[in-house]
Amino acid sequence: MSEKIRVLIIDDSASVRLTLSDIISADPDLEVMATASDPYVAAERIRQEVPDVIFLDIELPRMDGLTFLRKIMSQRPIPVVICSSLAEAGSDTFMQALEAGAVDVVAKPRVDTAQFLNESRMRICDAAKGAAHAKMRGMKKQAPALAVESKLTADAILPAISETRRKSLIERIPVTEPIVVIGASTGGTEALREILEALPANCPPILIVQHMPEKFTGAFARRLDAGCAVSVREAQDGELVRPGQVLMAPGNYHMMLVRNGPRYTVKITDGPHISRHRPSVDVLFRSTAQTAGRNALGIILTGMGDDGARGLLEMREMGSPTIAQDEETSVVFGMPKEAIQRGAAGRILPLGKIGDEIVAFGHKAKRPGE
């Protein structure tokens, strides 16, 4: 790789700046260009050298992070990752930041145990790389290619099925109510908002995995619910899947689809990171492939990495119609590209047409007794 991704860290806590610097500097693809204790210091740093990515706290002295973000986006757009404490997640401030142009949100690193530190390190570094590849208005720079890192597959949560069993399952899965499953990562918050706000109240039930930290998914769901005709909320273990309802996987937990007779419920479970994520799109898609087969529509949206590509292929092999967001409308054409290259995407569509496809799938799908 010819160059590293340069990161500017803005946080008023010296300990947070130090911890973030240590985490980012340890990754061979990243380097800390500079740190700043407030937006005025950061602005001076940016005048000297423009970073590839900014990690930005919300609560800052002299100027709050949201105001600084809006100034950056109006003057010289730079990919920004909001790095917030979980205590702030109860408000909608970070959602306003995403709407203002931030490309991702991460929790501040936890250093209380080795496991939490390792998980924080993985999420922070992945967010920096994803942000560096994000399409930003006015930016032409191409981020350097990244090495593929080893990762666990969905096998660690739900075993794959053999070819023989797959053929048997296709024949035995009964016709049920239609269901839609969606996976997204970097850039997904705005993509999901655009899709869901266009849906009628009687649309098919939808399950979503959006890569986002614990606590933040609840606030995100509430924000979407306020502007949508459909009901949107964070999923609870054992909850019944209903038409007109959107269930979002809670941050830090996997979500699976379970069938109970002709009806579906969700299973919320712990477990290792799959494809470097928890929740993982692959886990949701695989469970949907094995549970719903042709009754389900699988959709993969903008995001860094390959989470969901394998699962979407498994859905297609089980008879599910599948869609990948196109490159033109993806903020990061990573996850959709991987799905397309694996032959997992039955159709490749721009973001603006995906909502119509969900409605059409609900109308076309044959229901029990019809």
Side-chain angles (χ1 to χ4, degrees):
M1 189 175 62
S2 59
E3 58 180 302
K4 294 185 178 183
I5 295 167
R6 298 162 302 141
V7 180
L8 169 62
I9 299 167
I10 310 173
D11 198 293
D12 61 335
S13 167
S15 62
V16 170
R17 293 197 303 272
L18 178 60
T19 302
L20 280 173
S21 295
D22 289 344
I23 288 172
I24 291 169
S25 299
D27 190 296
D29 294 324
L30 308 173
E31 68 177 0
V32 177
M33 184 197 85
T35 66
S37 58
D38 67 54
Y40 287 92
V41 175
E44 183 58 35
R45 297 285 191 183
I46 293 171
R47 276 192 284 269
Q48 298 170 10
E49 182 182 4
V50 179
D52 297 312
V53 177
I54 295 175
F55 271 67
L56 178 66
D57 190 14
I58 292 293
E59 295 185 348
L60 292 168
R62 299 210 283 173
M63 180 190 296
D64 67 89
L66 190 57
T67 299
F68 180 70
L69 171 65
R70 287 171 175 151
K71 288 181 178 293
I72 284 288
M73 292 304 160
S74 66
Q75 297 172 9
R76 183 168 189 168
I78 299 171
V80 172
V81 175
I82 299 300
C83 188
S84 173
S85 67
L86 295 183
E88 294 166 359
S91 72
D92 286 333
T93 304
F94 85 94
M95 278 306 305
Q96 295 177 40
L98 290 170
E99 291 166 1
V103 298
D104 207 347
V105 56
V106 298
K108 289 190 178 181
R110 295 180 59 177
V111 298
D112 41 349
T113 70
Q115 177 184 349
F116 288 139
L117 179 58
N118 287 335
E119 291 178 358
S120 293
R121 179 181 295 113
M122 182 169 61
R123 175 69 179 130
I124 286 165
C125 292
D126 285 354
K129 296 170 188 178
H133 285 75
K135 292 179 186 174
M136 301 293 293
R137 178 171 47 84
M139 288 185 62
K140 302 293 186 182
K141 181 179 180 295
Q142 176 66 42
L146 303 174
V148 176
E149 301 182 62
S150 61
K151 60 190 78 173
L152 290 176
T153 69
D155 293 351
I157 300 293
L158 182 65
I161 58 175
S162 66
E163 177 67 14
T164 301
R165 188 177 172 220
R166 182 180 70 81
K167 291 180 179 179
S168 175
L169 266 180
I170 290 175
E171 296 174 355
R172 290 191 290 110
I173 291 178
V175 174
T176 64
E177 291 285 336
I179 187 167
V180 179
V181 290
I182 303 176
S185 189
T186 310
T189 52
E190 282 302 289
L192 288 168
R193 181 189 61 77
E194 181 173 334
I195 291 171
L196 297 183
E197 286 184 353
L199 296 179
N202 63 346
C203 76
I206 299 173
L207 303 183
I208 294 174
V209 166
Q210 164 69 50
H211 295 156
M212 189 175 280
E214 188 175 8
K215 306 295 185 184
F216 289 70
T217 44
F220 179 41
R222 290 190 297 273
R223 188 80 170 188
L224 290 173
D225 184 66
C228 296
V230 291
S231 169
V232 186
R233 65 173 179 272
E234 191 177 66
Q236 297 182 4
D237 185 44
E239 188 166 3
L240 189 65
V241 176
R242 303 175 185 274
Q245 175 179 272
V246 178
L247 297 179
M248 183 164 297
N252 207 35
Y253 291 93
H254 295 299
M255 180 168 69
M256 297 192 294
L257 181 68
V258 178
R259 189 173 72 243
N260 186 358
R263 306 303 299 274
Y264 298 105
T265 61
V266 293
K267 180 179 180 181
I268 306 301
T269 184
D270 205 344
H273 285 68
I274 303 301
S275 299
R276 296 178 64 84
H277 295 284
R278 188 176 62 218
S280 165
V281 182
D282 270 328
V283 171
L284 174 61
F285 283 3
R286 173 172 288 183
S287 69
T288 303
Q290 296 182 11
T291 300
R294 62 186 179 277
N295 300 300
L297 168 65
I299 302 170
I300 194 162
L301 301 177
T302 173
M304 184 73 181
D306 63 359
D307 187 29
R310 295 178 184 86
L312 194 71
L313 179 58
E314 292 175 15
M315 288 188 66
R316 191 176 188 190
E317 290 173 343
M318 287 294 291
S320 301
T322 57
I323 296 171
Q325 184 178 353
D326 70 354
E327 182 174 9
E328 179 69 22
T329 62
S330 293
V331 172
V332 178
F333 192 56
M335 287 161 49
K337 181 180 180 181
E338 284 288 335
I340 294 166
Q341 290 179 339
R342 291 171 187 261
R347 302 179 70 187
I348 303 167
L349 296 176
L351 180 63
K353 293 188 176 181
I354 293 177
D356 291 339
E357 289 300 314
I358 292 174
V359 174
F361 174 73
H363 288 158
K364 183 171 60 177
K366 185 177 180 181
R367 291 159 170 80
E370 293 185 345

